[in-house]
Amino acid sequence: MVEDDHGSYDQALEEFRGREYPMLQGTTYLDHAGTTLYAKSTIERFAQDMTSNLYGNPHSASNSSQLTTKRIENIRLRLLGFLNADPEDFDVVFVANATAGIKLVMDAFRDQESGFWYGYHRDSHTSVIGVREAAAKHHCFVSDVEVQQWIDQSDCDGLPGLFAYPAQSNMNGRRLPLEWSRRIRSKKHGAMYSLLDAAALLSTTPLDLGDSETSPDFTVLSLYKIFGFPDLGALIIRKKSGGVFDTRRYFGGGTVEMVVCVREQWHAKKADMLHERLEDGTLPIHSIMALDAAMNVHEELFGPLERISNHTARLAAKMYEGLSSLRHGNGLTACKIYKDPTSKYGDTKTQGPIVAFNLRNHQGGWVSNAEVEKLAAVKSIQIRTGGLCNPGGVASSLDLAPWEMKENFSAGQRCGNDNDIIRAKPTGMIRVSLGAMSTQEDVSSFVKFVREFFVHDFPSPTTPPVTSLTAEPPTTSILHVESISIYPIKSCAAWSVPPGQAWEVRREGLAWDREWCLVHQGTGAALSQKRYPKMALIRPSIDLEDGVVRIRLGGALQTTTPTAEITVPLSADPRLFSDTELYKDSTARVCGDSITAKIYKSSEISAFFSQALGVACQLARFPAVGSATSPVTSARHSKAHLQKYQKAGGMHIPGAFPNTRSLAPGYGVSKPILLSNESPILTISRSSLNRLNEVIKAEGGKAAQAEVFRANIVVAENLDSLPGAEQPYAEDDWRYLQIGQQYFEMLGPCRRCQMVCIDQNTAERNQEPFVTLSKTRRFDGRVYFGEHTSHIAANDAASPLAQNPTIAVGDTVRPYREEEAGEDSELQSLVS
Ligand SMILES: *Cc1c(COP(=O)(O)O)cnc(C)c1O
């Protein structure tokens, strides 16, 4: 068992974690809702039980059936004991999860003849809120004071009533008064019932139902949140309040004694025990048996829940102190913590081991949670962000009015997307939660992480840093195209255009770039390296002579399939695709937008990719092939970001947050593109990459290859003729590019995520370059590298330059800043 005083609790935990869970090494696990951290021992013990005893289906006289019935009865009793509940006063109904328990109570109230009144506290989980849809009348209590005042008025409007609230908010861990159940019973004289949602509370703190007169009528639990395994919930019913279920209409499986259905409709429900009437269908027998093993393991490891309660309270207080003390160099606090004013960290009566917060930058602006989560993922820190299934608590803490939430919804804000700061307010929060398995080390490494990436130590500079704007503009073109890459299959490896080969530029991007993608057979969603890093080892190449894409597998994938290579014709021969009439229905999705793709019907092609990646997938092709003169009408439209961005100038101080500069008007113009995520073409600069790699290497990290950025064009300074001419990040100021004889518009900087950390030779995940990018290229809380680019078609559609625009490796590159566009009359005429 884990030792008592808290230094050795930590030490014993560390040892236990190291021994039993080597995969946790280097991971900071701070999402304890539904933890499976200590399930391993339970599963081993459960497997032992299952393989050495014969358990039959209950309801028969055989020994094996009797054994099952006996075990389940004992476990029911044991679970009541866990809550100090007397079986005389309480019954246990096993359900799938806490939500199913809540719905069972709802069923009973919905079937009351007169309908029912439903009240719930603002801090409730969505599962509790949903009950209102079945109520004749409902009310959301926005404060504890309102609840108290309502309890004290003894009026009820005649309907049977149910009041529900969480014992602990799953949002910020705040604990609500348990005496409400008693007060409601005594003031409302039995006309009002109470439903306590104990799903969050019980994972770290005991609940005592020792006195049935003061206990809630209905209490729901998520057993997996306490024990990690099995996936099971329970509804604890105070027997004196069980009459409510008499009106429940549904019956099924084992809950009924006799049913007449031919010619006459009649049934008799089981009358003895509440649980017999309410457990519809076959019980989750094996899960219930596993619960017994889980309770044994939990008790042996941790002893009584009080110890977990004290341990986690101590850690949460440390976390709260650590995060609240983080300040930027100018004195502003970095964390806005959503603590209830009535609660106190360290006090287990008012506060559970959860801290909910948002981060602010040194200017007082909000940091995007999506960015925090990306960095946390790279650093192996597991946290939860977003709406946290607690809409009332989140809206109150973030001060979001209903109209704002609806408007945000219409503006595309959904749980879990990138668009998480709207109208200068965050739309969700960050939650760290601690559990029985958390250690001091988890707390300090998280605080350190926030300090390292989100605290700006230096006082704000009073003068803006020197930027390249002050440097003399180059008088002659000093750049050239170092390489051109295309990605025939979205998210797979790059193919380099051979030097000297003129490559066609189309309105939607470079020829053959992201024409194909792999789609999941089940969901139709396009696969990406973020989830399937091995896609980096799928290496397509374009063979214009034979008119095919040749696809080979590299690295570890070479042994996955007997087929060394497949080829797919470049021409979109309709016979290759599954029923052309059907293709409109097979909608692949890229970044949330729907696109229509044709699926290759060849089972060899599907098998090749499915075996390589270990997921059932199909090759798909974007339907229309356009050219500069006959644009594709159905192409998706680019979403180059409209937001402002900032520029660090020549200096790259870790954590630097320089001044803001707006992008020029016209940015974010919608452009058609194929399957690339953001814009037709992505351009990066060699000297910026070199600068980035210098910083990475100085910190002992692994330098990044150009391929990880999914760039199409790498431009580099001509260092032979002008040594020392490197201008890292000069592209931040470019507005147009002339490459060879073609003109391009820069649409804006490219926002980055942790996908840049996948090594394109081995498909392994690294921390770099995202960690260093986050420190050197984070502006407005977002990480940028490279520029979205699109081709500008020539005015004179009859000229060969317009009819077949091409670029090649080695072409000279001439950048134009906004104010320089007028220096080139051709460019001037194209853009004015
Ligand atoms: C997790 C949770 C729920 C939902 O529990 P399930 O077992 O997933 O149905 C409800 N309320 C609170 C407070 C929770 O934390």
Side-chain angles (χ1 to χ4, degrees):
M1 199 217 276
V2 179
E3 288 303 316
D4 216 351
D5 90 90
H6 95 110
S8 46
Y9 190 121
D10 251 39
Q11 202 181 349
L13 261 188
E14 288 290 0
E15 278 169 27
F16 174 75
R17 280 170 40 155
R19 192 176 66 238
E20 302 281 319
Y21 293 95
M23 82 281 193
L24 265 183
Q25 234 149 46
T27 296
T28 307
Y29 191 83
L30 293 169
D31 182 11
H32 276 270
T35 178
T36 53
L37 283 189
Y38 36 88
K40 186 182 167 202
S41 324
T42 301
I43 290 165
E44 282 165 0
R45 214 163 303 183
F46 172 55
Q48 173 73 25
D49 184 13
M50 286 299 111
T51 49
S52 49
N53 289 303
L54 177 62
Y55 293 108
N57 207 9
H59 308 295
S60 102
S62 69
N63 283 343
S64 62
S65 176
Q66 291 301 312
L67 182 60
T68 305
T69 307
K70 187 178 84 183
R71 285 287 309 276
I72 291 178
E73 279 168 5
N74 292 341
I75 297 166
R76 239 183 251 286
L77 185 63
R78 184 169 186 190
L79 183 58
L80 286 176
F82 186 72
L83 301 164
N84 192 29
D86 189 332
E88 283 288 310
D89 300 324
F90 292 93
D91 199 356
V92 176
V93 178
F94 283 115
V95 284
N97 45 37
T99 303
I102 294 165
K103 284 170 73 178
L104 202 50
V105 176
M106 175 189 78
D107 277 352
F109 278 86
R110 184 172 48 194
D111 294 347
Q112 305 289 323
E113 211 137 305
S114 52
F116 72 107
W117 176 93
Y118 184 60
Y120 59 97
H121 192 280
R122 170 196 93 185
D123 285 349
S124 296
H125 191 273
T126 44
S127 300
V128 167
I129 299 174
V131 174
R132 71 176 184 208
E133 302 300 313
K137 286 185 181 170
H138 53 82
H139 180 71
C140 174
F141 289 84
V142 298
S143 71
D144 293 10
V145 174
E146 194 193 354
V147 174
Q148 259 123 4
Q149 284 169 351
W150 164 78
I151 292 177
D152 287 336
Q153 318 152 352
S154 48
D155 69 303
C156 285
D157 56 13
L159 294 178
L162 178 66
F163 174 75
Y165 72 105
Q168 172 179 310
S169 157
N170 64 313
M171 179 197 82
N172 62 1
R174 175 241 165 162
R175 290 180 178 161
L176 286 82
L178 291 175
E179 74 266 9
W180 282 348
S181 304
R182 171 183 60 79
R183 293 191 50 211
I184 287 174
R185 183 167 303 123
S186 74
K187 293 275 182 177
K188 305 280 186 193
H189 311 294
M192 187 66 59
Y193 292 83
S194 59
L195 166 62
L196 184 71
D197 173 5
L201 178 85
L202 267 169
S203 55
T204 53
T205 295
L207 177 69
D208 187 341
L209 301 181
D211 179 358
S212 80
E213 287 315 306
T214 64
S215 299
D217 299 297
F218 315 106
T219 305
V220 289
L221 334 172
S222 298
L223 294 166
Y224 74 96
K225 286 192 189 171
I226 312 173
F227 304 110
F229 179 82
D231 300 335
L232 196 63
L235 165 65
I236 312 291
I237 302 174
R238 183 178 171 263
K239 284 185 177 170
K240 280 190 183 155
S241 318
V244 170
F245 292 97
D246 294 347
T247 47
R248 188 174 87 114
R249 291 190 205 142
Y250 181 79
F251 60 82
T255 61
V256 65
E257 295 283 7
M258 178 169 287
V259 181
V260 177
C261 59
V262 180
R263 287 207 297 264
E264 219 177 286
Q265 326 289 316
W266 176 86
H267 71 276
K269 282 191 199 158
K270 285 198 172 158
D272 298 358
M273 302 289 283
L274 272 166
H275 68 254
E276 290 184 333
R277 285 198 271 141
L278 297 176
E279 286 167 344
D280 302 316
T282 305
L283 276 176
I285 302 165
H286 301 103
S287 296
I288 298 172
M289 307 251 188
L291 176 61
D292 204 22
M295 293 179 85
N296 287 333
V297 167
H298 196 262
E299 203 170 280
E300 285 163 33
L301 271 180
F302 306 111
L305 264 182
E306 276 88 357
R307 294 180 65 243
I308 295 179
S309 177
N310 293 334
H311 170 69
T312 52
R314 215 156 26 217
L315 293 184
K318 286 243 154 63
M319 182 72 90
Y320 177 72
E321 278 161 32
L323 292 179
S324 4
S325 68
L326 293 176
R327 277 169 201 281
H328 297 291
N330 60 7
L332 286 180
T333 51
C335 299
K336 161 84 180 146
I337 300 180
Y338 304 108
K339 186 184 85 61
D340 194 273
T342 60
S343 83
K344 185 167 177 289
Y345 279 93
D347 170 20
T348 57
K349 222 176 136 47
T350 58
Q351 180 63 52
I354 294 178
V355 184
F357 63 99
N358 278 115
L359 288 166
R360 305 186 96 135
N361 63 32
H362 77 299
Q363 297 165 319
W366 298 105
V367 176
S368 153
N369 291 340
E371 297 300 329
V372 178
E373 194 151 24
K374 285 176 196 170
L375 260 179
V378 169
K379 284 289 188 182
S380 298
I381 296 174
Q382 305 211 14
I383 49 176
R384 173 131 179 221
T385 67
L388 310 177
C389 286
N390 196 307
V394 168
S396 318
S397 298
L398 301 180
D399 191 24
L400 291 171
W403 69 264
E404 283 183 293
M405 293 178 76
K406 287 190 200 159
E407 199 148 293
N408 292 352
F409 186 84
S410 317
Q413 197 259 324
R414 295 290 184 280
C415 215
N417 72 9
D418 262 13
N419 192 11
D420 57 8
I421 297 172
I422 299 182
R423 259 173 265 106
K425 285 182 186 180
T427 56
M429 37 180 87
I430 303 167
R431 181 182 76 184
V432 292
S433 55
L434 298 146
M437 290 277 278
S438 301
T439 60
Q440 196 85 259
E441 176 63 25
D442 294 332
V443 174
S444 40
S445 60
F446 185 72
V447 175
K448 186 166 153 256
F449 162 76
V450 176
R451 182 183 299 120
E452 181 177 359
F453 291 99
F454 301 100
V455 175
H456 179 218
D457 282 332
F458 309 95
S460 298
T462 43
T463 48
V466 185
T467 72
S468 55
L469 279 175
T470 55
E472 273 300 303
T475 45
T476 52
S477 159
I478 53 153
L479 293 136
H480 67 280
V481 175
E482 182 188 89
S483 63
I484 299 175
S485 299
I486 61 165
Y487 303 82
I489 307 178
K490 182 184 158 59
S491 235
C492 294
W495 176 72
S496 300
V497 173
Q501 178 156 8
W503 203 255
E504 187 188 345
V505 183
R506 298 177 181 161
R507 185 157 171 261
E508 331 80 63
L510 300 183
W512 312 112
D513 189 43
R514 287 167 265 218
E515 281 273 334
W516 290 268
C517 67
L518 296 173
V519 295
H520 192 277
Q521 275 189 19
T523 62
L527 302 186
S528 98
Q529 274 187 36
K530 217 184 275 183
R531 205 165 284 169
Y532 300 99
K534 291 214 167 69
M535 291 176 84
L537 304 178
I538 296 178
R539 298 183 177 145
S541 57
I542 301 286
D543 184 339
L544 290 176
E545 209 137 292
D546 290 351
V548 294
V549 202
R550 228 172 262 296
I551 302 140
R552 296 201 176 100
L553 301 175
L557 290 191
Q558 278 162 332
T559 53
T560 52
T561 122
T563 323
E565 162 186 312
I566 57 166
T567 56
V568 175
L570 291 175
S571 60
D573 180 344
R575 286 166 305 177
L576 296 172
F577 300 101
S578 56
D579 197 345
T580 30
E581 291 304 304
L582 271 181
Y583 81 84
K584 283 195 176 98
D585 295 328
S586 359
T587 306
R589 292 191 315 269
V590 175
C591 283
D593 289 351
S594 285
I595 53 139
T596 323
K598 292 187 199 175
I599 309 275
Y600 284 84
K601 65 180 170 194
S602 152
S603 56
E604 269 155 69
I605 295 180
S606 304
F608 178 80
F609 290 109
S610 300
Q611 285 169 359
L613 296 176
V615 55
C617 61
Q618 290 166 307
L619 183 68
R621 176 158 189 172
F622 197 72
V625 177
S627 67
T629 43
S630 63
V632 178
T633 46
S634 62
R636 295 195 310 127
H637 288 261
S638 74
K639 294 178 287 185
H641 300 293
L642 275 165
Q643 68 261 46
K644 294 171 175 184
Y645 80 125
Q646 299 161 306
K647 181 163 166 19
M651 307 190 307
H652 294 283
I653 310 154
F657 299 79
N659 287 345
T660 315
R661 175 176 75 83
S662 300
L663 286 179
Y667 272 42
V669 185
S670 220
K671 300 277 169 183
I673 50 177
L674 286 182
L675 299 173
S676 63
N677 285 346
E678 303 278 355
S679 70
I681 298 168
L682 192 87
T683 306
I684 68 168
S685 136
R686 165 57 59 189
S687 52
S688 304
L689 180 60
N690 289 347
R691 170 63 57 88
L692 175 68
N693 281 333
E694 280 162 27
V695 182
I696 292 175
K697 283 189 277 189
E699 296 288 319
K702 182 163 167 281
Q705 312 137 293
E707 292 80 9
V708 300
F709 297 103
R710 321 294 295 162
N712 296 111
I713 302 174
V714 180
V715 298
E717 280 90 357
N718 298 344
L719 298 178
D720 293 345
S721 50
L722 270 171
E726 279 201 318
Q727 292 192 319
Y729 302 116
E731 67 274 20
D732 288 349
D733 291 324
W734 295 346
R735 184 73 178 85
Y736 303 101
L737 279 187
Q738 185 182 8
I739 301 179
Q741 295 182 295
Q742 298 298 325
Y743 290 93
F744 294 83
E745 180 181 4
M746 312 305 275
L747 301 175
C750 179
R751 191 170 171 190
R752 293 304 179 170
C753 69
Q754 67 270 33
M755 210 175 105
V756 298
C757 293
I758 296 163
D759 185 305
Q760 299 296 296
N761 292 326
T762 63
E764 278 160 6
R765 289 190 169 102
N766 303 299
Q767 295 197 355
E768 294 294 2
F770 195 66
V771 163
T772 299
L773 275 179
S774 301
K775 291 179 176 175
T776 56
R777 293 286 302 167
R778 185 142 52 90
F779 311 115
D780 280 354
R782 286 158 184 193
V783 174
Y784 294 103
F785 191 85
E787 298 285 319
H788 295 297
T789 310
S790 77
H791 181 240
I792 307 174
N795 282 334
D796 179 6
S799 81
L801 280 182
Q803 287 179 347
N804 186 25
T806 60
I807 57 171
V809 173
D811 275 356
T812 49
V813 176
R814 163 83 160 100
Y816 297 89
R817 296 197 298 249
E818 181 70 37
E819 65 277 14
E820 296 166 340
E823 291 170 17
D824 183 298
S825 55
E826 176 76 21
L827 175 60
Q828 185 70 10
S829 73
L830 287 177
V831 300
S832 57

